[in-house]
Amino acid sequence: MATMAARVSLLAIVCMVLSATTIPKAEAVVTCGQVVNNLTPCISYVMYGGSPVPEPCCNGIKNLYGLAQTKPDRQAVCNCIKNAVGNSGFKYSPRNLNIAASLPKQCGVNIPYQISPNTDCNSVQ
């Protein structure tokens, strides 16, 4: 069974999926707590794969996508993810990254950027 640090890291990878998405409307209001709450249902899927993506995972992705409406919100989500990954010590595999990267499309969410742990959060629009 994966450690909590591994789960947080994988959750963080999934969060990067949603760090730069929709049309701006307000100042940053998305918190790391919201990111974690929305993406927790995706952890097992990112860790182990499978088909289809669990409905609670897609619901969380769609909800977080809807919350990240401004550039500051998208940057906050990105920074939350990077901090979680950086502090966990978990070494994620290309397989985990590919699974996380596929989540938005599989859940019907289109994002205009490459998902990567090397994303520069300051460049997220």
Side-chain angles (χ1 to χ4, degrees), residues 53-110:
V53 176
E55 185 176 344
C57 174
C58 281
N59 290 342
I61 287 172
K62 290 174 183 176
N63 189 52
L64 191 55
Y65 177 86
L67 290 173
Q69 293 293 304
T70 68
K71 178 179 175 180
D73 283 333
R74 292 184 293 273
Q75 290 177 340
V77 170
C78 179
N79 282 310
C80 176
I81 293 161
K82 289 192 78 145
N83 288 335
V85 171
N87 292 330
S88 73
F90 179 74
K91 302 292 184 200
Y92 40 84
S93 71
R95 179 181 176 273
N96 298 126
L97 289 173
N98 288 335
I99 291 171
S102 73
L103 282 173
K105 183 176 181 181
Q106 291 186 56
C107 293
V109 175
N110 295 312

Side-chain angles (χ1 to χ4, degrees), residues 22-71:
T22 59
I23 300 170
K25 74 175 181 183
E27 291 301 312
V29 294
V30 178
T31 67
C32 285
Q34 289 172 301
V35 172
V36 170
N37 287 337
N38 279 288
L39 297 176
T40 295
C42 301
I43 293 172
S44 290
Y45 180 79
V46 171
M47 290 175 66
Y48 307 112
S51 185
V53 176
E55 185 176 344
C57 174
C58 281
N59 290 342
I61 287 172
K62 290 174 183 176
N63 189 52
L64 191 55
Y65 177 86
L67 290 173
Q69 293 293 304
T70 68
K71 178 179 175 180

